[in-house]
Amino acid sequence: MKNVKKLHFSLLLVLVHVCFAQADYAPFFYDNGPYSSNGNLALFSLTEDTPVGTEIYALNGTDPEGQEVRYGLSFEPGAKEYFRVEPKSGNITLVEQLDREVTEKVTVFVMDANDERPVFKNLPSFLDVPENSECGSSIYKVLAVDRDTGSGGSITFYLQTNGQSSKFAIDRHSGVLRIKPGEMLDYERSTTHFITVVAKDGGGNYNGKEQVMSSSATLTINVIDTQDTPPSFVGTPYFGYVYEVSVPGSEIFTVFAKDGDLGMPKPIHYSLENGKHQQLSSSPEGNLMDYGFTTVVIRVVDLNNHPPTFYGENGPQNMFEMTMYEHPPEGEIIRGLKITVNDSDQGSNAKFNLRLVGPGRMLRVVPQTVLNEAQVTILVEDSAAMDYEKFHFLTFKLLAVEMDTPERFSATADIVIHLLDTNDNAPKFSSVYYIARIPENSPGNSNVVSVTATDPDSGFWGEVKYSIYGSGADLFLIHSASGIIYTQPWASLDAEVKSKYNFYVKAEDAEGKYSLAEVFVTVLDLNDHPPEFNENFLEKTMIIGALVKIEAQDDDAEGPNNVIEYSIMKTDPENIFDINADTGEIKLKSYIKSMDIVQNITKQNDCTWSVVVQAQDRGSPSFSTTTVVKIDITEATQLRGPWASFFVQSRDKPLHILGMIAGVISLMVVVTVFISTIMFMRNKKSNRILPHRRIRRRNNPPVTFKFPNSGEKLLIQEPEVMVGVNCSNCNIASGHPLGRHWPPPPPPNAPALPPLLPGGRPGDRQWVVPTVLGTVAQIKPKRNRNRPVDSVNAALVSELKMRLDQRRLANCS
């Protein structure tokens, strides 16, 4: 076995730095100490029996600017190349077999102790940095050396933490000082930064102990002002005033600005950009560097020199058109009109009214009062009036009139709305009913009547289809397009069976809207039935002076087809009878007034004639029929008058006679009951006397009469009658009929007056006796309407009349 020795080869390691941008500082190796497998190959050793192809070490380095690094090996001229390095990863691979016995140049190292501090080579120092330096850029490289070797000679840099160092960072190995990412220098905030840099070695053994040594130094950074702050105006905001009629060149307002870069302020130039005031700073050479803006509000004092103006989407416009369907919902906004109205004056000069003028009150405009400018909105107010069938288009005037100005400027715009039709109407018949006539026995498919309905809607909405229905429509059909009503092919119309039909027709549009009309059809009667007698041979009995009536029937439905005219066709002998052509009543000629005359005309003992009677209708053509009437002529019975004629004519009809007798008896019974009831009620009322009353009479003296001269009335005077009345429940007052007096008759021979009743007055009552009939007439006094007539007074009057009648009869006898 070979002895193993550690060989130290004098190898040159080169760190290749590939740059993609300009580099400020060189890359460097990391010193990871002896016996490390990666780093800078410090004190690296390898046995001779290491197999070829083994990765023996990994170089490790970095670039201060963060760029990519590549690795390589350099050998002495003529030396055998035992190793190869991978450029990107830095891995070193053994490529030749090692041999301890081979003579090579050997370097012997003296091991160092960490007894030296790092020493700054370029600190403390002053550094000027422009304020517009980019964040992350390198601004300085701190250099320091440590004469120790190994880890004690490796240096790491730090920044002492304070408010001044918050914007900076230093690379620990290279000492490159940078502006932190995201941080910017600002001269206007801070002009100087004081940075304390600390250099610390990697530590090492000193006197048997581990020792780390460091040094610090201050770097003063002066921020150099650059042109990075625009000028700014002083005294903003700015407001100015000018009359709108001011002439060009009139001074309005003065502005002032200063440069924001206080370290190196530049001259400022002023200008206007797009109506805004602009200030510019310039370099000493006169080149413009930076600028700033401010707004100057200049109020133009208004004069009323602009009328209102209507605007559409493309500017001023005085005609607006749109298309919409008829009958929009009430309150809906008409969205097809985009109208803006504007008055460019200010204040009260720009206040105006809006008004819409047009047919009816279909639309209205909002707002009605406008200040300066408004979006015009048109609303539907009367939907029913916006009818396509009445107006295919509507024209309105939109008016804008100033309110509070003496000029009263105004503007107008025309609004034209074209209406589109909708199915808003149902078909309508030309009449609510139709009357038609058709002859009976008309063949099938015969036209009856034509109905017409119209739909004012346009297009297919105005197309009308007809249909028919109803209980009377079984025999009829209707043409769906023309409205012609005709009979069914199999229909047979007969006026005698049914002469009146009625049914409904329906007119319907494409969407099912419809209306109805009623149709009345009359089947016209044709003269297709002849008159008919009940029998072909009739027997009648005729009393001289009476009538005999015959009747025939015609089954036709109406006149004149069913109107019958009667005539005598044949009789033997002739010229015996007359017949009423309308009623069929047969009577003897007027000269035949007795049976003797009849016997002179005919030699037959039975006095019977056969008469051929014809019944003919008045239709066209006319039909007729005949019958033989056997008439037996007889003398009148003891019965006289119409009753005799009735009984004779009805002798063949006993039920007629019985019915007449029963009717007469019933009428007599009703009359008797009615009269009895009236008499009973009258007697009951006249005999009624109030209770608790009685009349006491005394012996009456005789009554004397005086007969006056011719032409005068007889006056009667009675002696005084004392009447006592026991009335427990009556109240007789002055003015009652019981208290009236009769005036005295003329002297000297008149009878005495009746006695005065209690409370009576002379002259209130007078009795007059007529001279012709001897009846006593009473002149009715005026009654007191405040009280009813007392029954006591009525009793006295009745008794007095009775006494007068008795005396009159006695004198007459």
Side-chain angles (χ1 to χ4, degrees):
M1 181 176 178
K2 294 183 179 181
N3 295 327
V4 178
K5 295 181 63 177
K6 289 185 180 180
L7 299 178
H8 297 272
F9 298 93
S10 176
L11 302 177
L12 176 63
L13 299 180
V14 179
L15 180 64
V16 180
H17 181 204
V18 179
C19 299
F20 297 95
Q22 184 179 357
D24 294 330
Y25 308 99
F28 61 92
F29 283 105
Y30 290 112
D31 185 4
N32 296 325
Y35 314 114
S36 174
S37 62
N38 62 81
N40 56 2
L41 279 176
L43 302 179
F44 174 71
S45 61
L46 183 66
T47 60
E48 66 174 342
D49 58 353
T50 301
V52 176
T54 303
E55 291 184 358
I56 60 174
Y57 199 80
L59 298 177
N60 188 4
T62 186
D63 180 69
E65 283 77 25
Q67 301 295 331
E68 182 181 6
V69 295
R70 290 181 179 271
Y71 303 93
L73 295 177
S74 177
F75 297 89
E76 293 181 357
K80 191 174 183 180
E81 297 183 2
Y82 288 91
F83 308 97
R84 185 175 61 233
V85 64
E86 204 283 322
K88 290 185 177 181
S89 63
N91 293 329
I92 299 175
T93 304
L94 179 66
V95 296
E96 292 290 343
Q97 182 66 46
L98 296 177
D99 189 356
R100 181 181 64 85
E101 289 74 20
V102 176
T103 302
E104 294 291 344
K105 182 178 179 181
V106 178
T107 301
V108 179
F109 293 94
V110 177
M111 302 303 293
D112 186 31
N114 189 23
D115 57 350
E116 298 289 339
R117 292 179 178 274
V119 176
F120 292 101
K121 297 177 64 176
N122 55 357
L123 291 181
S125 178
F126 294 88
L127 178 64
D128 293 333
V129 180
E131 65 175 338
N132 60 354
S133 298
E134 296 181 1
C135 60
S137 61
S138 302
I139 58 174
Y140 194 71
K141 182 176 182 180
V142 178
L143 299 178
V145 295
D146 191 326
R147 291 186 299 173
D148 293 321
T149 60
S151 62
S154 62
I155 300 175
T156 304
F157 299 97
Y158 302 92
L159 294 182
Q160 187 172 336
T161 304
N162 55 50
Q164 298 287 330
S165 62
S166 59
K167 292 182 177 293
F168 305 95
I170 193 170
D171 188 277
R172 296 175 56 192
H173 302 286
S174 64
V176 175
L177 185 65
R178 294 181 174 84
I179 300 174
K180 280 185 178 181
E183 297 288 344
M184 294 292 294
L185 301 180
D186 191 351
Y187 176 85
E188 285 69 33
R189 292 187 177 182
S190 179
T191 60
T192 304
H193 298 271
F194 300 97
I195 306 299
T196 302
V197 181
V198 177
K200 183 173 63 174
D201 61 20
N205 187 20
Y206 182 74
N207 293 329
K209 295 181 179 180
E210 187 70 24
Q211 177 175 280
V212 177
M213 303 188 73
S214 63
S215 300
S216 63
T218 301
L219 176 63
T220 302
I221 300 175
N222 296 318
V223 180
I224 306 302
D225 190 17
T226 59
Q227 189 64 38
D228 61 345
T229 303
S232 61
F233 285 95
V234 178
T236 58
Y238 295 134
F239 297 93
Y241 302 89
V242 63
Y243 286 101
E244 63 177 346
V245 294
S246 298
V247 298
S250 301
E251 182 177 339
I252 300 175
F253 197 75
T254 302
V255 299
F256 173 74
K258 63 180 181 178
D259 193 356
D261 296 312
L262 302 179
M264 294 181 294
K266 305 296 189 298
I268 296 177
H269 301 271
Y270 299 91
S271 65
L272 290 175
E273 285 286 332
N274 298 326
K276 294 183 178 180
H277 200 285
Q278 180 181 22
Q279 74 281 1
L280 305 174
S281 60
S282 62
S283 64
E285 294 79 13
N287 298 324
L288 299 181
M289 302 292 292
D290 209 346
Y291 59 89
F293 287 100
T294 190
T295 300
V296 179
V297 179
I298 298 177
R299 179 182 177 186
V300 180
V301 180
D302 181 50
L303 297 177
N304 189 29
N305 54 354
H306 295 89
T309 305
F310 291 101
Y311 293 87
E313 293 181 315
N314 299 319
Q317 188 173 335
N318 58 7
M319 170 68 76
F320 299 88
E321 291 189 72
M322 67 162 298
T323 301
M324 65 182 298
Y325 285 100
E326 64 177 341
H327 304 306
E330 292 185 0
E332 181 179 89
I333 297 174
I334 298 181
R335 304 188 183 278
L337 295 174
K338 296 182 179 180
I339 307 174
T340 303
V341 62
N342 175 272
D343 190 328
S344 55
D345 292 322
Q346 300 296 320
S348 61
N349 294 333
K351 190 175 183 181
F352 55 92
N353 282 334
L354 283 180
R355 187 174 55 183
L356 191 65
V357 179
R361 295 185 177 179
M362 301 180 190
L363 306 176
R364 65 185 178 94
V365 61
V366 292
Q368 296 182 351
T369 302
V370 179
L371 181 62
N372 288 118
E373 184 177 85
Q375 182 75 32
V376 178
T377 301
I378 306 296
L379 301 177
V380 177
E381 193 163 71
D382 188 354
S383 175
M386 300 182 69
D387 192 349
Y388 175 83
E389 286 70 35
K390 296 179 181 178
F391 309 97
H392 283 13
F393 64 90
L394 302 170
T395 301
F396 297 87
K397 284 283 187 183
L398 183 60
L399 305 179
V401 182
E402 291 182 348
M403 297 175 56
D404 303 325
T405 62
E407 295 83 7
R408 290 280 181 169
F409 290 138
S410 63
T412 62
D414 293 324
I415 298 177
V416 180
I417 299 177
H418 299 273
L419 295 179
L420 299 177
D421 193 22
T422 60
N423 189 23
D424 60 327
N425 293 283
K428 185 177 181 181
F429 282 98
S430 58
S431 177
V432 295
Y433 62 88
Y434 294 87
I435 298 176
R437 296 176 177 86
I438 182 171
E440 64 177 345
N441 300 328
S442 296
N445 295 322
S446 297
N447 289 345
V448 178
V449 67
S450 177
V451 298
T452 303
T454 57
D455 191 327
D457 293 321
S458 61
F460 73 98
W461 288 324
E463 297 177 0
V464 179
K465 292 184 179 180
Y466 299 94
S467 58
I468 186 173
Y469 68 97
S471 59
D474 298 338
L475 301 180
F476 303 94
L477 297 173
I478 189 170
H479 193 276
S480 62
S482 65
I484 297 176
I485 299 176
Y486 55 95
T487 59
Q488 293 272 12
W490 46 263
S492 176
L493 300 178
D494 190 347
E496 288 75 37
V497 176
K498 185 175 183 180
S499 62
K500 303 290 183 181
Y501 295 87
N502 70 291
F503 48 85
Y504 291 93
V505 288
K506 178 180 181 181
E508 186 175 12
D509 63 15
E511 288 188 349
K513 293 186 177 181
Y514 67 91
S515 62
L516 302 176
E518 192 168 6
V519 179
F520 299 90
V521 178
T522 300
V523 179
L524 298 177
D525 183 43
L526 297 179
N527 193 23
D528 55 351
H529 292 87
E532 293 181 358
F533 290 99
N534 292 335
E535 297 178 2
N536 294 329
F537 185 83
L538 301 175
E539 292 184 359
K540 297 288 184 179
T541 299
M542 177 182 290
I543 299 174
I544 295 177
L547 303 175
V548 172
K549 185 176 182 180
I550 61 174
E551 284 186 295
Q553 300 292 331
D554 192 319
D555 291 337
D556 287 318
E558 58 185 21
N561 298 329
N562 61 359
V563 177
I564 300 176
E565 191 175 73
Y566 299 93
S567 62
I568 296 176
M569 302 299 294
K570 182 180 180 183
T571 183
D572 186 23
E574 296 182 355
N575 202 22
I576 295 296
F577 298 100
D578 287 332
I579 189 168
N580 189 317
D582 296 326
T583 62
E585 294 176 343
I586 301 175
K587 65 181 179 179
L588 291 170
K589 292 287 187 179
S590 60
Y591 67 87
I592 301 176
K593 298 181 178 180
S594 65
M595 288 296 295
D596 296 334
I597 299 174
V598 173
Q599 293 294 336
N600 292 332
I601 295 174
T602 180
K603 296 180 180 181
Q604 298 178 5
N605 294 328
D606 55 359
C607 297
T608 300
W609 275 274
S610 294
V611 181
V612 178
V613 178
Q614 175 182 271
Q616 183 178 9
D617 62 29
R618 295 182 181 179
S620 179
S622 178
F623 294 97
S624 64
T625 187
T626 59
T627 187
V628 177
V629 181
K630 183 179 180 182
I631 301 176
D632 183 13
I633 300 175
T634 183
E635 189 75 49
T637 63
Q638 66 273 15
L639 296 175
R640 304 292 180 182
W643 287 104
S645 177
F646 171 78
F647 284 119
V648 171
Q649 293 180 8
S650 302
R651 65 180 184 176
D652 296 332
K653 300 177 180 179
L655 293 179
H656 288 189
I657 298 174
L658 292 177
M660 178 60 70
I661 295 173
V664 171
I665 294 174
S666 300
L667 179 61
M668 293 177 64
V669 170
V670 171
V671 172
T672 303
V673 172
F674 179 72
I675 293 173
S676 301
T677 303
I678 292 177
M679 294 180 64
F680 173 76
M681 296 301 294
R682 182 177 180 182
N683 294 335
K684 182 178 180 181
K685 182 177 181 181
S686 62
N687 295 333
R688 186 175 58 191
I689 300 177
L690 294 175
H692 304 291
R693 298 178 182 177
R694 62 183 178 175
I695 301 174
R696 294 181 299 174
R697 300 188 181 91
R698 296 181 180 181
N699 293 329
N700 296 323
V703 180
T704 61
F705 294 88
K706 179 179 184 324
F707 294 91
N709 297 326
S710 177
E712 296 181 357
K713 295 182 178 181
L714 176 65
L715 297 179
I716 304 174
Q717 182 176 5
E718 294 183 356
E720 181 180 310
V721 179
M722 299 301 294
V723 180
V725 179
N726 184 10
C727 182
S728 61
N729 60 347
C730 38
N731 182 14
I732 302 176
S734 176
H736 193 273
L738 287 176
R740 294 184 179 179
H741 291 219
W742 293 268
N749 297 322
L753 292 173
L756 292 173
L757 297 178
R761 295 177 300 176
D764 285 348
R765 181 170 297 179
Q766 184 176 3
W767 297 96
V768 179
V769 180
T771 59
V772 178
L773 299 178
T775 58
V776 179
Q778 178 184 6
I779 300 176
K780 295 182 180 180
K782 295 182 180 179
R783 294 183 178 181
N784 188 352
R785 297 181 180 179
N786 295 331
R787 296 176 59 112
V789 178
D790 201 321
S791 59
V792 175
N793 186 43
L796 292 174
V797 173
S798 299
E799 185 176 351
L800 179 61
K801 290 175 63 178
M802 182 181 65
R803 291 172 58 189
L804 290 175
D805 291 339
Q806 291 174 357
R807 290 198 175 107
R808 181 178 59 79
L809 295 174
N811 291 333
C812 291
S813 62

